[in-house]
Amino acid sequence: KADRLYYLFAELNDNHIWKPPGEQLSSARFKELVQQALQDMTAGDQPLYLHEHRNRIGILLPDHVLVPFKGDIRQFAVRFRQTMSVEAGGRVFLYAGAPVDRLANIRQSYITAKEAMLHKYIHDDSRIVIYAQVQSEPLNYIGMDPAELGRFIEQIEEQQSEKVKLAVDALFQDFRVKRYAPEAVKMTIHQCVLGITKAIRSMEGDERSLASMAPIVGWHDLSLSLGELKGLFAGFVEESKDYIAELRKVQVKGGIQKVRSYIEANYAGNISLKSIAAHFFINPVYLGQLFKKTYGVYFNDFLLQIRVNEAKKLLRQSPDIRIYEVAEKVGFSSADYFVNQFEKIEHMKPSEYRNKLL
């Protein structure tokens, strides 16, 4: 009786250019390791046909090779992963197609092995997918819920580090529990990256300055385990969160400078913290706190100092100007109040200041 045949893919994962050079394997080296493991398992008595598919090796597996494993393809796959050199063993995923009864039908086993790959992230723990055992398992092809994505971006913008970490954990848990197909995983990661990128651009930042940007947009054509993908994604999220915090500081600094310039240009008018806050669409309490934090003085004290400095300039440059005229020109509604405030800061009356210069 002729052997049944299996098409088995051995896939090398996490072998990307962002890994340290010492951890990268060439295709030729990976093929050597696969050949060596198979030879060790079969005592080299049977040629097994290998075909290279970029980061995968296709193996034509005759049924009789499974005899020592009670005919069980999974037991064979478990031993195969164990036999693989430590150089690559942990990074190897195996996908077995449905058995066929003759070589002429091997394409069917190849196709079903490819279909087994769709269950990759669900079986990330064992890293072995047998088509016969997963063919009836449903897969999820729908990406992240938009409302959930919105909350996630919001948490990043609000610097809620613990919630962000929990959200990343929950997302990768969902990939397994909710049976995400690889395309749905890619779509979800893409949705998140796009949302974060939009947030960065809205703050006049450039996402290309992030070291983690290239890996998180360049992994699509690579074979990554769920843990490796989570590491890349979490790194991108963390770096983006820190970058957004820096952008906010720059924006706040630029914003408060605009407020200061506005005060310096309009000090003579009837301005207040409330009116300026309204002009710049900022909460007045927040603006007051920001002003004190940036300049070390409260808004009213800052405005008063500007008005008194301008009053001193007028008193120096225009000896004949009347005190009430000075008060009006620098924004005081009352000459008496002006005199009182001037004296509080300069420890002399405006007239005394002027007379001192004569």
Side-chain angles (χ1 to χ4, degrees):
K1 176 177 172 291
D3 268 341
R4 291 195 307 170
L5 297 163
Y6 289 89
Y7 202 91
L8 179 72
F9 279 112
E11 178 186 76
L12 179 63
N13 280 256
D14 308 340
N15 192 45
H16 51 75
I17 57 171
W18 304 287
K19 278 275 192 191
E23 294 181 34
Q24 291 176 32
L25 276 184
S26 68
S27 298
R29 179 59 182 150
F30 178 51
K31 187 176 180 182
E32 276 178 27
L33 294 171
V34 168
Q35 285 174 318
Q36 186 60 54
L38 290 170
Q39 194 169 354
D40 292 348
M41 290 176 67
T42 61
D45 66 350
Q46 171 68 37
L48 298 170
Y49 296 97
L50 272 59
H51 183 72
E52 292 184 53
H53 303 265
R54 201 168 55 168
N55 58 335
R56 301 185 192 104
I57 302 290
I59 305 161
L60 201 58
L61 202 65
D63 207 4
H64 76 262
V65 171
L66 305 182
V67 171
F69 305 94
K70 301 176 184 175
D72 187 343
I73 184 72
R74 174 169 284 280
Q75 282 190 34
F76 174 88
V78 169
R79 177 67 61 83
F80 180 47
R81 287 193 78 251
Q82 291 169 348
T83 309
M84 280 291 288
S85 156
V86 290
E87 204 175 334
R91 295 189 272 168
V92 173
F93 280 63
L94 298 174
Y95 312 98
V100 292
D101 54 7
R102 65 180 79 177
L103 186 59
N105 296 335
I106 196 63
R107 179 164 173 74
Q108 185 56 32
S109 188
Y110 166 83
I111 290 169
T112 50
K114 292 265 286 185
E115 286 179 27
M117 288 180 195
L118 300 177
H119 299 258
K120 169 179 183 169
Y121 292 123
I122 303 156
H123 298 274
D124 187 75
D125 49 354
S126 69
R127 307 195 167 191
I128 295 169
V129 188
I130 311 298
Y131 176 76
Q133 295 169 1
V134 300
Q135 60 180 316
S136 59
E137 293 179 358
L139 288 169
N140 175 16
Y141 286 90
I142 298 167
M144 196 174 188
D145 174 70
E148 200 177 322
L149 175 62
R151 280 193 298 275
F152 180 54
I153 303 299
E154 199 173 273
Q155 287 164 356
I156 292 170
E157 289 182 326
E158 291 176 357
Q159 302 294 301
Q160 297 187 42
S161 299
E162 196 52 40
K163 284 188 178 178
V164 168
K165 184 179 178 301
L166 290 172
V168 171
D169 289 344
L171 181 62
F172 278 78
Q173 179 79 358
D174 279 353
F175 288 159
R176 291 180 64 181
V177 175
K178 295 183 179 176
R179 316 189 62 79
Y180 274 55
E183 283 310 308
V185 171
K186 288 178 183 178
M187 178 170 42
T188 301
I189 297 293
H190 178 69
Q191 282 177 298
C192 293
V193 171
L194 197 59
I196 293 168
T197 300
K198 281 182 179 175
I200 288 170
R201 288 181 183 175
S202 73
M203 299 179 77
E204 298 177 7
D206 185 352
E207 72 279 2
R208 291 171 299 181
S209 66
L210 301 174
S212 56
M213 191 71 197
I216 204 61
V217 297
W219 74 275
H220 283 207
D221 295 325
L222 303 172
S223 297
L224 297 187
S225 64
L226 208 53
E228 186 76 7
L229 178 56
K230 184 179 179 181
L232 292 182
F233 182 67
F236 168 73
V237 168
E238 186 63 26
E239 190 183 7
S240 298
K241 182 171 67 65
D242 292 345
Y243 184 41
I244 286 169
E246 286 304 312
L247 289 172
R248 182 167 292 113
K249 283 180 189 173
V250 171
Q251 281 202 335
V252 164
K253 191 176 178 185
I256 200 68
Q257 284 173 342
K258 286 177 186 174
V259 169
R260 178 176 181 153
S261 298
Y262 180 83
I263 294 168
E264 289 170 343
N266 297 278
Y267 66 88
N270 182 24
I271 61 172
S272 65
L273 183 64
K274 193 173 179 181
S275 68
I276 293 168
H279 180 81
F280 285 96
F281 305 101
I282 302 172
N283 179 287
V285 175
Y286 173 70
L287 178 59
Q289 292 168 343
L290 191 58
F291 212 91
K292 178 70 165 68
K293 186 178 178 183
T294 307
Y295 298 117
V297 294
Y298 291 107
F299 166 79
N300 287 338
D301 294 332
F302 183 83
L303 178 60
L304 177 61
Q305 188 64 65
I306 287 179
R307 285 174 168 172
V308 168
N309 287 345
E310 291 300 320
K312 286 165 68 180
K313 195 188 292 183
L314 286 171
L315 290 166
R316 289 195 305 270
Q317 295 173 357
S318 309
D320 297 331
I321 194 168
R322 296 176 182 277
I323 299 300
Y324 76 85
E325 290 176 315
V326 174
E328 283 178 4
K329 284 181 179 294
V330 298
F332 287 96
S333 55
S334 155
D336 289 341
Y337 182 63
F338 163 59
V339 171
N340 179 273
Q341 294 302 306
F342 189 98
E343 189 173 10
K344 188 168 81 173
I345 289 178
E346 297 298 324
H347 307 295
M348 63 179 80
K349 290 182 169 61
S351 55
E352 290 172 329
Y353 176 78
R354 181 167 55 188
N355 291 338
K356 192 178 72 163
L357 301 174
L358 297 175

